[in-house]
Amino acid sequence: MNTRARTLLAAALVLGIAAGPTAPAALANGLTAPSHATDARTRPVPAADAAALRATISGLPADDATAALVRVGGTGGSWHGSSGVHDLVSNRAADPSARFRAGSVTKVFTAATVLQLAGERKLDLDRTARHYLPDLIPAAYGGVTVRQLLDHTSGIPAAPMHGSTLEEAYTHRFDLHTPREMAASAMAQAPEFAPGRSQHYLNINYTVLGLLVEKVTGDTYAHQVGERILRPLGLRSTSFPGAEPGIRGPHNRGYQVFTAPGGGTELRDVTVWGVTDTWAAGDLVSTTADLERFTRALFSGEVVRGPLLEEMFTLPDPSVRTYGTGKPAQFGAGLSVQTLGGREVWGKSGGRWGYNSLVAATRDLSRTLVYSVNSTDAKGQDMNATAMDVVVAAFGGGPVGRLSVTPSRRPSPGA
């Protein structure tokens, strides 16, 4: 992909990447370890697609990524590939079945759980969150509904955290946070906007949803997701680490570029990093195989059934614009949308330090994509170059310009 096309797509692709501190673009030391690429295909994708996909992850490790795991599926055929290294010390091949931090892909699981509970009449999407959590949610946020938490139109600001730079985040990587403390500190601030007026993608919405799940079930969030989604679908390699900062089971190491003390850049192993700041918004650990199975089941109506599934594929009224930019809202309940290669694609990306991930598919499941890229610029302001190339190879980019979006939108209250 040429530089201009990559820049345009980076600006247009908003499948849920939350911006964070920008890391330097190049590694301090050249990565000279050999690249390892494998693929196993069943009902293979067309040869041209396979070649394009293989090319996107060849040559790893590289400046922007040390490993990549990719699964493409759907009625049009499948392709599985891995490339890069398990770690930069041994330089052995990346484990294709490795577990990784899925980041904000967690939100899709949270949204699905909330919608299941709505289907069971244990909660009402149009009721206020304060109705269920009166001791937590103050009067200033008394009008926020469950649906507005799901589609990030609540107006609740982010919880205050220590510092705003990558170095400060690294210093506090083992800090422990409780969901209630995060929610309370966020709502101790003034609202960013009146509920339903704008859309601002923030983790805090899903932290409150996790607390809501616990309140209406009398159970832990992790156990509810496990019983409702992980166990029924056989997602045996998917888990919630909780307060544990490491990744249990086989995994490839994650690295991040930092500014070196004397100038320039350096690469640090960031595999072990606490995730209690994200909880129901971003602490999932999974594999590409598990996430592919989940994506197929979700889009097929096996996880959330009937009209409630459409909540995930419905955007707010067109009058609702993105907070701070004025761009059209792009998030439904857990998923967001873009048009790629002439096809409407729904999905969710995730980023934790050293790891980027994505689940995405067309509504008819003609093409699905799951990847984990061990990116050295995770949570940066721009999309990782290797990850972006994988998306274009999987769904097509055509001449990349302004991407049109034509999903269902919720009618305005007065319509």
Side-chain angles (χ1 to χ4, degrees):
M1 182 188 296
N2 62 45
T3 302
R4 182 174 183 276
R6 177 174 284 141
T7 300
L8 287 168
L9 184 57
L13 264 176
V14 286
L15 289 171
I17 298 176
T22 303
L27 303 186
N29 302 310
L31 300 178
T32 58
S35 173
H36 312 271
T38 61
D39 67 284
R41 289 165 283 172
T42 304
R43 290 184 299 129
V45 300
D49 285 3
L53 288 162
R54 193 176 296 110
T56 64
I57 59 173
S58 65
L60 298 184
D63 281 2
D64 70 302
T66 58
L69 315 176
V70 180
R71 296 179 74 93
V72 171
T75 57
S78 62
W79 183 89
H80 308 160
S82 66
S83 183
V85 295
H86 168 271
D87 64 89
L88 296 176
V89 177
S90 70
N91 286 329
R92 74 177 189 267
D95 181 350
S97 60
R99 299 176 185 182
F100 53 85
R101 299 196 189 281
S104 287
V105 172
T106 310
K107 293 182 177 71
V108 189
F109 288 76
T110 303
T113 300
V114 170
L115 292 171
Q116 282 190 12
L117 290 167
E120 297 164 10
R121 300 182 182 275
K122 293 180 179 175
L123 56 80
D124 185 332
L125 300 186
D126 292 316
R127 277 205 163 174
T128 67
R130 194 179 190 213
H131 170 82
Y132 301 101
L133 297 166
D135 59 330
L136 175 66
I137 298 178
Y141 293 96
V144 173
T145 67
V146 176
R147 181 179 278 111
Q148 289 164 347
L149 292 170
L150 283 167
D151 66 11
H152 301 278
T153 59
S154 70
I156 302 174
M161 298 295 290
H162 292 290
S164 59
T165 69
L166 173 57
E167 191 65 54
E168 289 169 331
Y170 182 79
T171 300
H172 291 278
R173 66 193 183 280
F174 298 130
D175 288 1
L176 296 177
H177 308 273
T178 71
R180 289 188 69 88
E181 288 171 352
M182 295 282 288
S185 65
M187 289 183 284
Q189 305 170 88
E192 291 184 328
F193 49 82
R197 294 290 183 86
S198 296
Q199 185 175 79
H200 192 184
Y201 174 83
L202 289 172
N203 286 339
I204 193 62
N205 294 291
Y206 278 67
T207 297
V208 177
L209 286 171
L211 290 167
L212 193 154
V213 168
E214 294 194 334
K215 178 68 173 183
V216 301
T217 64
D219 193 9
T220 67
Y221 162 79
H223 188 255
Q224 278 294 306
V225 178
E227 290 299 307
R228 292 173 174 275
I229 301 175
L230 306 190
R231 273 174 275 284
L233 296 182
L235 308 184
R236 296 180 179 84
S237 297
T238 301
S239 62
F240 296 92
E244 187 174 343
I247 301 175
R248 289 191 179 184
H251 58 277
N252 301 316
R253 308 295 294 186
Y255 298 88
Q256 189 81 23
V257 176
F258 285 73
T259 301
T265 59
E266 63 181 13
L267 200 62
R268 297 184 197 171
D269 187 329
V270 292
T271 309
V272 181
W273 193 306
V275 292
T276 56
D277 60 320
T278 56
W279 191 51
D283 75 344
L284 194 78
V285 167
S286 193
T287 64
T288 56
D290 272 11
L291 291 181
E292 183 181 60
R293 189 176 305 122
F294 170 68
T295 302
R296 288 198 308 265
L298 180 69
F299 280 53
S300 298
E302 298 173 30
V303 180
V304 180
R305 295 175 174 83
L308 285 167
L309 178 60
E310 292 306 309
E311 293 286 338
M312 306 190 83
F313 300 102
T314 302
L315 302 184
D317 174 78
S319 65
V320 176
R321 314 296 281 189
T322 300
Y323 180 68
T325 70
K327 295 179 180 179
Q330 298 217 274
F331 289 92
L335 299 175
S336 83
V337 64
Q338 285 292 342
T339 298
L340 300 171
R343 293 181 286 189
E344 191 177 282
V345 177
W346 290 85
K348 189 70 189 72
S349 65
R352 292 293 303 182
W353 304 113
Y355 299 88
N356 278 133
S357 60
L358 175 79
V359 297
T362 56
R363 281 295 307 266
D364 62 1
L365 291 174
S366 59
R367 176 57 56 93
T368 66
L369 168 65
V370 176
Y371 69 62
S372 168
V373 174
N374 291 54
S375 50
T376 61
D377 56 358
K379 296 178 73 66
Q381 292 181 345
D382 296 322
M383 188 174 182
N384 176 267
T386 295
M388 191 186 311
D389 288 347
V390 170
V391 171
V392 172
F395 292 108
V400 179
R402 181 180 293 276
L403 301 184
S404 61
V405 180
T406 57
S408 301
R409 287 186 179 269
R410 194 179 313 286
S412 62

